[in-house]
Amino acid sequence: MAPQSYTPSSGYNTPDSDLESIVPIHPTAARRPEYIKVNSENTIYTDEHITAKYFYRGADVVVSGGQFDVSPTVKPFEFQTTRKVGKTGLMMVGLGGNNGSTLCATILANKHQIAWHTKDGIQQPNYIGSVLRASTVRIGSEPGTAKEIHVPICDVLPMVHPNDLVLGGWDISSMPMDEAMERARVLDYDLQRQVKPHMALFGSPLPSIYYPDFIAANQEARADNVIPGTDKQAHLEHIRADIRRFKAENQLDRVIVFWTANTERYSDIIPGVNDTADSLLASIRSSHSEVSPSTLFAVAAILEGEPFVNGAPQNTFVPGVIELAERERSFIGGDDLKSGQTKLKSVLAEFLVNAGIKPLSIASYNHLGNNDGHNLSAERQFKSKEISKSSVVDDMVDANRLLYKPPVPGAKGKAAKGEHPDHIVVIKYVPAVGDSKRAIDEYYSEIFCGGRQTINIFNECEDSLLATPLILDLAILAELLTRVKYRDVSAGQTDFASLYPVLSLLSYMCKAPLVKPGTDVVNSLGRQRNALDAFLKACIGLEGNNDLLLETRIW
């Protein structure tokens, strides 16, 4: 694939857009100087770093004989963030798919300020839908008036601007990127018309890995751009060489590898095959059938020391991948982009349970007509998505055993997990609706003294336009977290160390968050967002969200 090359003009537009010079830059795409400075003895600024002291407050709870003994705890930490944002590349697996082509086209539209006509008028490019670029965080209040002050999340710490990402990647389809954009049928025609010459500069994606057993048979017609042979070790080395070459040709400091390709079937976890790092590497050398394409891409990124994010629901991160990431101290994150129905479910289920209402069943139905829906029409690929979507309410139920019976010690089956709402997920492929996904949810709940409540929600959304900003958020956060180090002062740690390789701070954007082995998964959207806000603020020496607002409740 030809390396990316841009000029600041709109000379590739055919014809030139008369709107570029008159439409202002949208606030979500604007560049702002590093303007937040914390005046505190706990925060030190140098040309190279922001170093902040942070006091992590919690509580140890001992339960004995029905008595809860609570001991507040305070642990001092220091965070050190490198201020210089390196030149960053984003290599997507599935570059020519709906998400990949949409992301490239919309970044180009923002980069070149290409506005376009719709039936509603002139539309300017923006990054609406990006948590980092289009939402804010409270950093304090104004003295005297107590007016709350909010800033864009992307301004709390130095982060990559989306327009600066160098884009590339792989696809099993050789269709050139301008044609792939047209095939996706996501963007308005007038935008496609103007951005098409820019997209043509990408050429075709790099050849990718294709193992027919892992994706639906209906994808075979697209697979004309594959790395030849069946030797998985050779495929691994091929991908590693692609990453190195892309990094060198574009003079990059960092490359984020992102899986936005087809959902794969689940891989079987087999002792001696993929349960440890060494067994996985041996299985790659022997070309074992249970090593999936996504796992190969993850291993390639890990061995190259570059972050890998899985935007699909399959179990890419088999135990051997996690152990390898730990050993190589390389970052991984995922799984599955949380853009529509599941995001809403993680909010509404939490609302009901926290309101003391007991959901008895949650039934979710989807239909869509894009290639993702086509692939998910196969049973084994749908199973991966079903598993990803079905676990979203687990932690909220576990937090309230007043409403739901707890697990029975020593029991098997449902009793071993404890009482849960009945939860069913259905996905159907309807080609006519294209990228416009329909989602229907019914929440059936028990209320006061045996009463019942039913909430029905119909959600229509353009699937790729919800998912694409999340790819940007995940890539930008992953790059930032490579520049953040910590020191556990309470443990006498003298040197700053990198964060743990599993980036659970990416959970807000993921349906099935990957977390540190042995720790609980948090699916509550509110808690995930609070954790992200609190971490970013901790890195500049500010306390987490304080909604006590004590000044408004006392004289």
Side-chain angles (χ1 to χ4, degrees):
M1 184 175 62
Q4 208 173 7
S5 177
Y6 293 119
T7 63
S9 75
S10 60
Y12 295 123
N13 290 351
T14 312
D16 290 348
S17 171
D18 295 328
L19 304 174
E20 291 184 30
S21 61
I22 62 172
V23 177
I25 296 175
H26 193 274
T28 60
R31 296 180 186 271
R32 289 172 290 271
E34 194 176 328
Y35 62 88
I36 298 173
K37 183 179 180 182
V38 177
N39 299 308
S40 168
E41 61 182 9
N42 293 329
T43 307
I44 299 173
Y45 293 86
T46 67
D47 290 341
E48 292 79 27
H49 299 108
I50 303 172
T51 305
K53 295 178 181 178
Y54 179 74
F55 297 94
Y56 183 55
R57 304 179 190 277
D60 292 335
V61 182
V62 177
V63 183
S64 178
Q67 178 72 33
F68 293 80
D69 291 322
V70 184
S71 302
T73 60
V74 180
K75 291 184 68 175
F77 284 85
E78 288 185 5
F79 292 103
Q80 185 182 79
T81 305
T82 300
R83 300 179 75 172
K84 183 180 184 297
V85 180
K87 189 177 181 183
T88 303
L90 173 58
M91 296 190 78
M92 290 174 280
V93 190
L95 179 66
N98 282 29
N99 289 345
S101 60
T102 300
L103 183 141
C104 292
T106 49
I107 285 181
L108 287 168
N110 276 282
K111 188 180 184 75
H112 294 279
Q113 259 307 93
I114 298 173
W116 63 98
H117 287 281
T118 73
K119 63 183 180 181
D120 297 317
I122 295 174
Q123 175 66 52
Q124 68 182 128
N126 59 60
Y127 287 114
I128 290 176
S130 163
V131 178
L132 300 180
R133 301 294 311 181
S135 70
T136 63
V137 59
R138 179 179 181 268
I139 58 170
S141 55
E142 193 174 53
T145 66
K147 179 180 174 59
E148 294 185 351
I149 303 297
H150 295 79
V151 299
I153 294 182
C154 59
D155 292 349
V156 176
L157 287 170
M159 298 187 196
V160 178
H161 192 288
N163 291 3
D164 296 335
L165 289 169
V166 180
L167 304 172
W170 307 263
D171 203 287
I172 62 173
S173 170
S174 64
M175 183 175 287
M177 289 298 292
D178 55 329
E179 296 178 26
M181 172 186 67
E182 294 174 345
R183 176 180 62 186
R185 296 189 301 156
V186 173
L187 301 172
D188 288 330
Y189 166 75
D190 194 41
L191 174 57
Q192 289 190 44
R193 176 187 64 79
Q194 295 184 75
V195 82
K196 181 179 174 69
H198 297 280
M199 290 288 284
L201 295 176
F202 283 105
S204 295
L206 295 168
S208 192
I209 300 172
Y210 175 60
Y211 303 150
D213 182 51
F214 279 91
I215 60 175
N218 57 38
Q219 300 300 301
E220 184 178 1
R222 285 191 176 218
D224 64 352
N225 190 43
V226 301
I227 302 171
T230 59
D231 186 335
K232 295 188 177 182
Q233 181 66 37
H235 291 172
L236 173 65
E237 296 304 329
H238 187 113
I239 298 303
R240 292 185 65 181
D242 284 343
I243 296 171
R244 289 195 298 270
R245 185 169 56 254
F246 184 77
K247 188 173 184 179
E249 288 178 351
N250 293 284
Q251 299 180 309
L252 303 174
D253 300 296
R254 175 68 63 196
V255 175
I256 311 298
V257 180
F258 199 109
W259 181 276
T260 182
N262 282 316
T263 295
E264 299 172 334
R265 68 164 174 85
Y266 254 49
S267 298
D268 294 333
I269 307 301
I270 305 172
V273 172
N274 50 18
D275 58 334
T276 68
D278 288 334
S279 64
L280 176 61
L281 293 174
S283 296
I284 293 172
R285 288 192 293 272
S286 66
S287 298
H288 195 282
S289 61
E290 282 306 304
V291 178
S292 68
S294 64
T295 292
L296 273 182
F297 275 97
V299 170
I302 290 168
L303 294 178
E304 290 301 315
E306 305 295 353
F308 178 87
V309 181
N310 177 33
Q314 71 272 349
N315 60 339
T316 297
F317 301 119
V318 294
V321 172
I322 297 175
E323 184 179 303
L324 184 66
E326 291 175 333
R327 192 162 77 189
E328 299 292 327
R329 294 184 175 271
S330 192
F331 293 118
I332 57 176
D335 293 309
D336 202 5
L337 299 177
K338 181 168 59 183
S339 59
Q341 186 179 52
T342 306
K343 182 175 286 187
L344 182 61
K345 189 179 297 182
S346 66
V347 173
L348 192 56
E350 182 183 31
F351 151 68
L352 291 169
V353 173
N354 284 351
I357 294 171
K358 181 180 181 180
L360 300 172
S361 67
I362 303 173
S364 297
Y365 167 86
N366 306 254
H367 70 259
L368 69 167
N370 60 17
N371 193 55
D372 183 38
H374 197 201
N375 182 63
L376 290 174
S377 64
E379 179 62 30
R380 292 192 301 172
Q381 285 67 37
F382 165 71
K383 194 66 179 176
S384 294
K385 178 68 76 171
E386 183 182 37
I387 293 170
S388 172
K389 279 177 166 280
S390 296
S391 61
V392 70
V393 300
D394 287 357
D395 59 317
M396 297 159 233
V397 169
D398 290 339
N400 192 330
R401 291 304 176 186
L402 297 170
L403 296 177
Y404 297 95
K405 296 175 184 177
V408 178
K412 296 181 179 180
K414 289 186 177 181
K417 186 179 180 181
E419 186 183 8
H420 271 66
D422 293 335
H423 192 182
I424 187 170
V425 176
V426 177
I427 301 176
K428 295 297 182 182
Y429 176 54
V430 181
V433 302
D435 203 62
S436 184
K437 181 169 70 174
R438 274 71 164 169
I440 304 169
D441 293 271
E442 179 186 272
Y443 296 79
Y444 180 61
S445 303
E446 179 180 350
I447 57 174
F448 189 51
C449 290
R452 294 292 187 267
Q453 178 192 42
T454 302
I455 300 175
N456 288 300
I457 297 175
F458 180 84
N459 174 25
E460 180 180 343
C461 59
E462 292 171 286
D463 202 32
S464 299
L465 295 180
L466 284 177
T468 295
L470 301 185
I471 297 176
L472 290 174
D473 286 337
L474 288 163
I476 292 167
L477 270 179
E479 188 284 327
L480 168 65
L481 295 175
T482 66
R483 291 184 281 114
V484 177
K485 296 187 176 183
Y486 79 97
R487 181 162 60 194
D488 185 349
V489 178
S490 64
Q493 187 177 342
T494 56
D495 297 326
F496 284 97
S498 299
L499 300 173
Y500 179 72
V502 174
L503 299 178
S504 56
L505 281 167
L506 306 183
S507 295
Y508 184 86
M509 280 72 74
C510 298
K511 284 190 182 77
L514 184 69
V515 300
K516 187 176 183 180
T519 60
D520 292 334
V521 176
V522 174
N523 284 297
S524 159
L525 197 72
R527 290 183 63 193
Q528 291 170 344
R529 172 61 189 261
N530 287 342
L532 177 59
D533 289 355
F535 181 83
L536 296 178
K537 291 168 71 173
C539 290
I540 56 173
L542 295 180
E543 292 291 327
N545 296 334
N546 187 349
D547 292 325
L548 177 58
L549 300 177
L550 188 60
E551 64 273 14
T552 70
R553 312 189 194 283
I554 58 177
W555 287 100

